[in-house]
Amino acid sequence: MAGEISEGSVPAYYREVYEAIRCKTDERVQVEVFQRLLQRTDLSKTVLGQIAEHVDSADGFLSKLSLYKALALIALAQQGKQPSPKLLENCIQELPKPQLGELKDLNALRMQPAQEDVLTMSQTLDRLLVRDTVQVELIPEKKGLFLKHVEYQVTSQRYKISVYRRYSDFDVFHEVLLQRFAYRVVPALPPKRMLKGVLTSVSEREFIEGRRRALGRFINLVARHPFFSEDELVKTFLTFSGSDVQTKLRDAYKKMGDEFMTNRIATQAKEYLPADIQAQFSTSRELIRNIHNSFQKLRDRAEKMAERSKENATDLLMFGRELSTLGSDASSLPSLASSPSTWGTLRQSLKSLSVEFAVLSDKAAQQGRREEDDVVEKLNIFLDLLQSYRDLCERHEKGVLHEHQRALHKYGMMKRQMMSATVQPKEQASVEQLESRIVQQENAIQTMELRNYFSLFCLHQETQLIFIYLPITSHILGAFVNSQVQGHREMGAVWNELQPKLGCLFGGNNGLKPYI
């Protein structure tokens, strides 16, 4: 801020106030709690309004540093001074202490979040979309496009920086992201190379372009995810410009561990889950599976329409060229032709019409690109999210649940061995060793049970994320309708310009004879 407050520069009292009023399950302070705190200051509404103007809040919360700034401004105002961030520059070494009453009374200000508040995502699609927009562009190779390594320029609107990445960088990023957020929807990466015998109809240039688009969809879904977007891994990938981003990413993950290790409520997830969580999950999963199937069909149709527009462009261009070829034929007509002079005039006019057909071809090609960029891409980004949700469901069932069942089976075998050891006398050391292994296995099972509940907790949130994204349907339909309106308007204008020119060929009614 105008006098930036760092965490190390604040008095102990500021930290005590923060600990008294912050959320138990979050490191932030709810705006409602902060407003209650302001009411304890006995300052006028005007002054309180001035303080609030200088304090940043997002999504209904204040960060720790925002609260510290507010406390300093409150103290200034209580001293009769203007609560301005500029005044803080003069007291940055020793921030003033606000008068807020007894610390023990501040605990009462804290709003205990309702259980569903922790579980429920208070997000909208528009708020997710504005988190970031990341451009992934192919860097032109000096020696052509068919080199072993293709490099991409990745530009984040949020961080206002461009970095250079290879596919292998995306691959490592995806690997550590999946390790860190195993219980969340992590979109898949496109394949590194063309699959032999499968993509024979796709040129290498088309494959590289398709992969660029897919990498763009991947990084945008990640950068807009409510939890990924604030993670150090994502920031590192989008901003680190050093020589070895892969090592940087792996080191960052090693320091953090997976989400279960760092999430404050991971071990209490069971308390927040509704009793019918399994039934809710089954119902939602079936609904999302049906939505996925429908969107796949919509995407396939949209792709066909875009392809037809491109084919139409090629046909119009070839149609015009044939007219030009016909008009360029300078062969003399035989005497038996009924009106050689008329055909000569027509022939010259036909040649000139190829220009209009080239314009029509260009408009049809633009239409195809619009359908591909605006409609197909939006369908694909939602399909990528839906597919990653399907992958997550499989990870939950095959991963956490399977490991839990396997651990229980192993535990049962150990128990039976222990019972057998008590019946048949064995060496004391081997019995103690078995007891130690049983305790270890009990601890492992307890951790797995906690992880299983946390996995369900995350799955519940990721299911909400799918429903938050559903209004993208209106974005897709809007893009589709707009592309059709624009395409038909532009092509209609060219056809309308062309129609009068036919007068010189076919007479006044442009060849539209009643019997044709």
Side-chain angles (χ1 to χ4, degrees):
M1 39 181 149
E4 280 293 343
I5 290 178
S6 64
E7 192 168 345
S9 69
V10 302
Y13 180 73
Y14 281 39
R15 295 191 185 92
E16 290 168 354
V17 172
Y18 165 72
E19 288 298 334
I21 68 171
R22 74 172 178 84
C23 296
K24 281 191 172 181
T25 56
D26 200 315
E27 293 187 355
R28 300 173 298 174
V29 175
Q30 288 175 297
V31 167
E32 293 91 336
V33 177
F34 173 63
Q35 287 170 346
R36 289 183 180 186
L37 183 72
L38 288 177
Q39 300 308 314
R40 295 174 63 90
T41 62
D42 295 326
L43 295 170
S44 68
K45 284 187 178 180
T46 304
V47 174
L48 292 179
Q50 291 171 346
I51 292 171
E53 280 180 18
H54 295 303
V55 178
D56 296 327
S57 63
D59 298 337
F61 291 92
L62 276 73
S63 68
K64 186 190 298 185
L65 291 182
S66 289
L67 175 70
Y68 291 162
K69 179 180 179 179
L71 294 176
L73 293 173
I74 289 169
L76 288 176
Q78 287 176 333
Q79 293 171 8
K81 298 174 184 176
Q82 182 73 14
S84 165
K86 284 191 176 181
L87 283 181
L88 295 178
E89 294 176 357
N90 302 324
C91 52
I92 198 70
Q93 296 302 322
E94 189 176 344
L95 292 167
K97 180 180 176 181
Q99 302 302 313
L100 301 170
E102 291 292 324
L103 265 174
K104 65 178 187 302
D105 296 335
L106 296 184
N107 283 307
L109 299 179
R110 177 159 51 197
M111 295 168 65
Q112 295 293 342
Q115 288 194 353
E116 63 270 17
D117 286 344
V118 182
L119 188 60
T120 304
M121 279 192 184
S122 57
Q123 292 288 344
T124 64
L125 178 60
D126 289 340
R127 275 162 59 187
L128 291 181
L129 295 180
V130 298
R131 279 176 180 255
D132 202 356
T133 297
V134 185
Q135 299 291 334
V136 177
E137 299 298 338
L138 201 62
I139 297 175
E141 295 279 6
K142 292 179 182 177
K143 298 178 183 177
L145 201 57
F146 301 97
L147 295 183
K148 289 183 180 178
H149 299 293
V150 175
E151 201 167 21
Y152 303 94
Q153 183 178 39
V154 179
T155 307
S156 163
Q157 202 174 80
R158 176 183 181 181
Y159 294 109
K160 297 178 173 56
I161 189 172
S162 292
V163 292
Y164 299 97
R165 299 285 180 257
R166 287 182 172 175
Y167 179 88
S168 58
D169 299 328
F170 277 93
D171 196 27
V172 170
F173 176 53
H174 179 266
E175 174 193 318
V176 294
L177 196 66
L178 197 52
Q179 289 171 345
R180 173 137 174 76
F181 294 104
Y183 310 128
R184 305 269 180 202
V185 285
V186 179
L189 283 183
K192 183 176 182 180
R193 295 185 180 88
M194 285 193 290
L195 303 174
K196 290 182 180 179
V198 177
L199 298 175
T200 50
S201 62
V202 179
S203 71
E204 186 165 358
R205 188 178 296 271
E206 288 174 319
F207 172 77
I208 289 174
E209 169 58 17
R211 189 175 68 182
R212 181 196 68 79
R213 286 175 180 265
L215 290 173
R217 296 195 300 270
F218 162 78
I219 194 62
N220 275 285
L221 283 171
V222 168
R224 293 165 179 169
H225 190 284
F227 298 101
F228 303 167
S229 59
E230 303 305 319
D231 195 75
E232 189 62 31
L233 289 177
V234 176
K235 185 178 180 181
T236 299
F237 185 79
L238 291 175
T239 62
F240 181 71
S241 54
S243 58
D244 193 354
V245 69
Q246 296 181 18
T247 301
K248 185 82 173 173
L249 287 166
R250 287 195 170 108
D251 288 348
Y253 170 68
K254 284 176 187 173
K255 287 177 186 175
M256 290 184 287
D258 78 339
E259 190 186 9
F260 180 78
M261 305 296 292
T262 58
N263 192 299
R264 295 177 63 87
I265 63 162
T267 56
Q268 302 144 32
K270 183 180 179 180
E271 299 172 24
Y272 298 101
L273 292 173
D276 61 342
I277 181 67
Q278 292 289 1
Q280 285 189 34
F281 169 54
S282 297
T283 304
S284 299
R285 187 179 184 182
E286 184 61 29
L287 176 59
I288 291 170
R289 184 185 288 119
N290 293 337
I291 290 169
H292 191 177
N293 291 337
S294 292
F295 268 84
Q296 280 181 319
K297 291 172 184 175
L298 288 171
R299 191 270 316 275
D300 292 346
R301 293 297 170 186
E303 278 184 336
K304 286 181 179 178
M305 283 187 274
E307 197 57 43
R308 279 201 297 271
S309 293
K310 293 177 187 175
E311 290 172 359
N312 190 29
T314 303
D315 290 340
L316 285 165
L317 188 63
M318 297 309 297
F319 193 91
R321 284 181 183 172
E322 287 304 323
L323 288 177
S324 179
T325 301
L326 193 60
S328 300
D329 186 0
S331 306
S332 56
L333 292 170
S335 56
L336 57 86
S338 58
S339 51
S341 59
T342 305
W343 173 243
T345 306
L346 283 172
R347 198 158 57 177
Q348 287 298 316
S349 301
L350 289 173
K351 187 176 179 181
S352 67
L353 289 179
S354 64
V355 177
E356 274 78 8
F357 278 92
V359 174
L360 285 165
S361 172
D362 184 54
K363 296 296 182 189
Q366 289 176 27
Q367 171 70 2
R369 284 193 293 272
R370 271 195 302 272
E371 289 167 347
E372 202 169 53
D373 296 343
D374 298 343
V375 184
V376 176
E377 271 303 290
K378 283 184 173 68
L379 284 161
N380 274 330
I381 199 167
F382 189 42
L383 281 170
D384 287 352
L385 182 66
L386 290 167
Q387 182 59 50
S388 62
Y389 178 78
R390 182 174 286 187
D391 296 341
L392 172 64
C393 293
E394 290 181 4
R395 279 203 306 276
H396 173 73
E397 291 176 338
K398 294 179 180 177
V400 179
L401 290 180
H402 179 67
E403 286 177 13
H404 189 206
Q405 288 165 356
R406 194 166 56 187
L408 286 172
H409 176 68
K410 187 176 178 182
Y411 178 69
M413 288 176 62
M414 285 181 178
K415 276 288 192 183
R416 285 193 293 274
Q417 284 179 332
M418 189 67 192
M419 290 173 67
S420 173
T422 55
V423 174
Q424 301 173 4
K426 289 193 175 183
E427 292 182 17
Q428 185 65 25
S430 64
V431 173
E432 287 176 357
Q433 191 178 27
L434 190 57
E435 285 177 341
S436 173
R437 284 172 58 202
I438 287 175
V439 170
Q440 288 177 357
Q441 192 65 13
E442 284 173 345
N443 290 336
I445 288 171
Q446 185 180 15
T447 301
M448 283 181 191
E449 285 178 346
L450 292 174
R451 280 186 173 272
N452 181 43
Y453 285 121
F454 184 60
S455 178
L456 272 172
F457 179 91
C458 294
L459 196 53
H460 195 281
Q461 289 188 322
E462 299 303 291
T463 304
Q464 293 172 59
L465 183 64
I466 300 298
F467 290 115
I468 290 168
Y469 258 91
L470 268 177
I472 201 172
T473 311
S474 63
H475 295 222
I476 294 164
L477 287 172
F480 176 60
V481 171
N482 290 339
S483 72
Q484 297 303 315
V485 169
Q486 185 177 348
H488 284 85
R489 184 175 61 238
E490 290 180 359
M491 290 195 73
V494 180
W495 285 118
N496 285 329
E497 287 176 13
L498 178 59
Q499 194 174 29
K501 295 180 181 179
L502 301 183
C504 65
L505 292 175
F506 305 108
N509 59 359
N510 300 340
L512 302 177
K513 301 283 187 186
Y515 52 80
I516 292 180

